[in-house]
Amino acid sequence: MGGVRRWLHDTVGGLPATYWYLWSGLLVNRVGAFAMLFLSLYLTEVRGASKALAGVVVGAYGIGGAAGVLLGGVLADNWGRRATLLWSHLTAAALMVLMAFAGHLAAIAVLAALIGVVHSMPGPAFVAAIVDVVPPEKRSRAFNLQFWAFNLGMAGASFLAGLLAQASYLALFLVDAGATLATALIIAARVPETLVRRSRTPDTRPPSGLRAALTDRTFLAFVGLTFVLAVLTAQTSTIMPLAMRADGLSSAAYGTVVAFGGALIVVGQLFVPRLIDRHRKHVVLAVSTGLLAVGFGALAFADALPAYLAAALIWTVGSMLAAPPNAEINAELSPTALRGRYQAVFYLTFPAAAFLAPALGGVSLQHLGDRHWIVSAGVGLAAVIGHLVAGPRRERRVAALRAAERTAPDAVTGERTLTGAA
């Protein structure tokens, strides 16, 4: 029993109450965020859209998501974390209700783009709020639990979506709206504003807009390495199904591989902090990226379901190990006053990877065949070297940022409020 108590304390203990309300909101939001997973089927089966038109509408959702990430980061720094979270969720719930009753394809396309914006806006604010309230020494644990909640919620969403879609697409959209509203209520009732506004002299005021993040070479190098990881991971939902079909495997086999990876994360993610806490972050990221490279490289030799499952085991462990240090480094490289903007630039890597992985991966698979996976492994191994080379420089940068923020003028000019410059 003592060992179990110690594990529970090491895994979930000592985190502030505000974090747990943010965590709960994220979990509820992810469990309910399933309607857009079935948007293409809804358009073709219910609204009579062609496959091409359905693809355009789903693409509009993706474009809205990229814009929403940047907007959410700016608002999180200027308007506040709580305000951004609250109003993006309320707006998303309202738009989802409108989507449920929209009949014209043009209206659905506009709503899809707007929903893409408000679905992506909370991401930078969620992470910025977590960094605001969780001490540095506990962030690995906090981000590990956040990643676990996200994947647990997505697993629940996939299950519920299948049931609701069979019963009623109207129910699909309305239940999604209800879950989003529930998240807004949790934020409204329990999450205070975590953004503290500080006075700065003209000499110490940071650059405005996104310019600071987009000209920070150390940060952009880290974002680039994260982009490689995201491209590798995105292949599980874009390129791997094509490879499995070419090997004569069914859609059910693909579903088995995806479910296996999800189950591994749900069961194993809670044990990750004890494995990585004693090691330097860039070393953990190098090892985890190496596992991703080996896992996807192994697909060059896979032609049956057991081989795909074995490869999925390797790359899923890599993803699990990478999640906490990746989020920690992102937080550490972000100046306090620009935390939301830095999160926004960081989170752009994922929609960019979701676009690039199928766009280039499909061409590569068509022309290279199984050698595509060897190329993927080579790209991953290059990122391993990148982490090992860039890691010490990142550590020096983090130390300099902490020293600068301890000595910079930071007198609080007022209470934590929801108002501020737009």
Side-chain angles (χ1 to χ4, degrees):
M1 277 302 281
V4 174
R5 287 197 200 95
R6 186 163 53 253
W7 174 77
L8 284 172
H9 179 270
D10 290 344
T11 304
V12 303
L15 294 169
T18 298
Y19 168 80
W20 287 112
Y21 290 121
L22 289 164
W23 184 91
S24 301
L26 176 65
L27 179 61
V28 172
N29 177 270
R30 287 297 93 195
V31 170
F34 43 63
M36 303 310 284
L37 298 176
F38 280 71
L39 180 59
S40 59
L41 291 177
Y42 169 72
L43 290 168
T44 54
E45 293 179 4
V46 178
R47 297 302 176 188
S50 66
K51 292 180 180 179
L53 182 56
V56 170
V57 175
V58 174
Y61 175 78
I63 293 171
V69 165
L70 293 175
L71 178 60
V74 173
L75 290 178
D77 283 339
N78 287 346
W79 196 16
R81 313 334 184 187
R82 182 179 186 272
T84 303
L85 290 170
L86 180 60
W87 289 105
S88 60
H89 282 91
L90 288 174
T91 305
L95 290 173
M96 197 62 71
V97 172
L98 292 176
M99 177 74 86
F101 296 101
H104 296 289
L105 289 174
I108 293 173
V110 172
L111 287 169
L114 293 175
I115 290 171
V117 172
V118 293
H119 271 184
S120 297
M121 281 174 59
F126 260 123
V127 177
I130 289 172
V131 178
D132 290 342
V133 301
V134 176
E137 66 275 9
K138 296 179 180 178
R139 285 177 188 160
S140 177
R141 190 185 314 166
F143 287 127
N144 187 67
L145 288 167
Q146 178 204 8
F147 182 71
W148 181 71
F150 183 90
N151 283 278
L152 181 62
M154 289 300 292
S158 300
F159 175 73
L160 289 175
L163 295 178
L164 287 169
Q166 289 181 356
S168 165
Y169 277 106
L170 177 64
L172 190 74
F173 288 110
L174 293 180
V175 173
D176 190 314
T180 306
L181 180 61
T183 301
L185 293 176
I186 291 171
I187 293 165
R190 295 296 182 182
V191 177
E193 179 54 70
T194 64
L195 174 63
V196 178
R197 306 186 186 282
R198 294 174 167 87
S199 63
R200 293 185 181 271
T201 66
D203 291 338
T204 61
R205 188 174 293 119
S208 60
L210 295 164
R211 180 163 56 90
L214 294 173
T215 55
D216 186 332
R217 294 181 181 178
T218 302
F219 175 69
L220 290 179
F222 172 67
V223 170
L225 291 169
T226 302
F227 177 69
V228 172
L229 185 148
V231 168
L232 291 175
T233 304
Q235 294 186 109
T236 59
S237 59
T238 55
I239 305 304
M240 188 182 73
L242 301 177
M244 294 184 72
R245 182 183 300 170
D247 287 330
L249 297 172
S250 65
S251 298
Y254 170 67
T256 299
V257 174
V258 173
F260 176 66
L264 280 176
I265 291 173
V266 170
V267 173
Q269 192 68 45
L270 294 178
F271 297 92
V272 167
R274 298 192 72 175
L275 294 175
I276 66 174
D277 279 350
R278 297 184 300 276
H279 304 285
R280 296 170 73 180
K281 297 181 187 69
H282 70 277
V283 174
V284 175
L285 283 176
V287 171
S288 61
T289 306
L291 288 172
L292 284 162
V294 170
F296 284 104
L299 294 184
F301 311 100
D303 56 6
L305 180 58
Y308 276 94
L309 290 173
L313 171 64
I314 297 170
W315 78 58
T316 302
V317 171
S319 296
M320 291 162 58
L321 295 177
N326 217 47
E328 272 191 282
I329 293 171
N330 177 36
E332 290 171 346
L333 290 173
S334 307
T336 301
L338 299 174
R339 194 165 279 160
R341 291 170 171 83
Y342 270 67
Q343 300 302 322
V345 173
F346 175 79
Y347 272 93
L348 271 180
T349 59
F350 300 102
F355 169 77
L356 190 65
L360 291 184
V363 174
S364 175
L365 188 67
Q366 179 177 337
H367 291 283
L368 298 179
D370 286 339
R371 287 176 295 172
H372 163 79
W373 301 112
I374 302 298
V375 173
S376 296
V379 172
L381 293 175
V384 170
I385 297 172
H387 278 298
L388 294 175
V389 171
R393 180 180 179 182
R394 286 198 301 257
E395 290 177 346
R396 293 192 294 271
R397 171 65 183 279
V398 169
L401 275 173
R402 288 178 177 172
E405 293 196 345
R406 281 195 300 267
T407 58
D410 61 354
V412 177
T413 59
E415 296 296 323
R416 294 176 178 176
T417 64
L418 300 181
T419 58

